[in-house]
Amino acid sequence: MNILFAILITFFSGMGAGLGTGFAGMSAAAVISPILITFLNIDPYMAVGIALSSDVLASAVSAYTYHKNKNLDIKNGLIMMVSVLVFTVFGSFIARLVPSSTMGGFSVFMTFLLGIKFIVRPVMTTKEAMANVSPKKRAIQSLICGMIIGFICGFVGAGGGMMMLLILTSVLGYELKTAVGTSVFIMTFTALTGAVSHFMLGGIPDITVWLLCVVFTLIWARIAAVFANKATPKTLNRATGVVLVSLGVVIMGFSLFH
């Protein structure tokens, strides 16, 4: 493998994944997996494992940034996190039984559509409005939604962050910054669980590619999270929408190329 080419590919995949994580709480696997599969001929199952492990530190540093700015709802995210974790393991196990050709671009179109939604219909919910939702209703919704999100995250290593952001803003009525902060908090643990499951079942990936992806994703996630927490809701909606639409178009292009 040409090391300079590997650095170039992992830099751009890490940049896309980091921006997606810091702005929208999306899974790095949605970006990194198809790029590694297409350009570096990484096995699809291992590519998802690399992407999920890249997601761990990127999501953790993003969650810390959102928490520091009081845009993270840990209490109401815990119920969803537990159900997501359990079903991530289940989804990862099922994924091992499925042919590699079926894995990869599940969430690409959803990423594109969600990006358009944030541009056309921005989330302008306030934290005051969030407080009016019944705790019991939110708990039940969180449990059910977490089961669905966890299975998808473990099965294809992608879609979890996007579905979580959509559900937190549209179903659970979160304002955008708190939704992203809570999403990356949950994704830190789901990504860790998914990565460990993948590596236990599939072995250790290429160390160089693995480390490069982790570092580049972490750097860009930190940059995006700092910007997002300082932005106004309107600006953040537009920035998030543009990032998601751009990533969706690029990944669809890679899929066609592949």
Side-chain angles (χ1 to χ4, degrees):
M1 184 188 299
N2 186 313
I3 187 63
L4 290 177
F5 183 66
I7 291 173
L8 185 67
I9 294 302
T10 52
F11 173 80
F12 283 108
S13 61
M15 179 172 68
L19 291 175
T21 299
F23 274 120
M26 69 180 288
S27 171
V31 181
I32 292 177
S33 298
I35 295 177
L36 294 185
I37 294 166
T38 302
F39 292 102
L40 298 182
N41 295 315
I42 303 290
D43 175 76
Y45 190 80
M46 296 312 298
V48 171
I50 291 172
L52 285 171
S53 60
S54 300
D55 216 358
V56 177
L57 286 177
S59 292
V61 75
S62 296
Y64 171 75
T65 304
Y66 278 91
H67 176 65
K68 193 168 67 173
N69 288 275
K70 295 181 171 57
N71 290 316
L72 170 56
D73 186 0
I74 297 176
K75 183 179 177 182
N76 289 309
L78 286 174
I79 296 173
M80 183 181 287
M81 185 179 77
V82 172
S83 57
V84 167
L85 283 173
V86 172
F87 277 77
T88 296
V89 177
F90 179 62
S92 185
F93 174 74
I94 298 298
R96 193 70 181 128
L97 308 177
V98 177
S100 293
S101 59
T102 64
M103 299 176 61
F106 176 80
S107 68
V108 177
F109 193 57
M110 182 179 174
T111 300
F112 178 76
L113 290 181
L114 193 56
I116 292 176
K117 176 195 176 296
F118 281 121
I119 295 172
V120 178
R121 294 189 63 188
V123 177
M124 302 302 286
T125 308
T126 62
K127 289 184 179 179
E128 289 73 26
M130 284 175 58
N132 294 327
V133 180
S134 162
K136 183 179 179 181
K137 179 181 178 182
R138 178 163 285 168
I140 295 172
Q141 289 175 330
S142 297
L143 182 67
I144 296 172
C145 294
M147 292 164 64
I148 298 169
I149 293 166
F151 179 78
I152 291 174
C153 182
F155 186 71
V156 295
M162 287 296 88
M163 285 194 67
M164 210 175 307
L165 184 62
L166 180 63
I167 287 168
L168 287 172
T169 54
S170 301
V171 179
L172 300 182
Y174 278 57
E175 58 95 21
L176 186 55
K177 289 183 183 180
T178 307
V180 175
T182 305
S183 177
V184 289
F185 169 72
I186 296 172
M187 287 303 295
T188 302
F189 299 97
T190 58
L192 177 62
T193 306
V196 171
S197 300
H198 270 68
F199 293 154
M200 285 179 65
L201 294 168
I204 300 299
D206 183 291
I207 300 297
T208 303
V209 174
W210 186 15
L211 290 176
L212 286 171
C213 285
V214 169
V215 171
F216 288 138
T217 305
L218 174 62
I219 291 170
W220 285 101
R222 170 65 176 165
I223 292 171
V226 170
F227 175 85
N229 277 279
K230 291 180 179 178
T232 63
K234 191 172 183 179
T235 301
L236 180 57
N237 271 277
R238 285 179 176 171
T240 302
V242 169
V243 168
L244 294 181
V245 169
S246 301
L247 290 175
V249 170
V250 171
I251 299 167
M252 279 190 274
F254 285 146
S255 301
L256 291 173
F257 178 81
H258 179 63

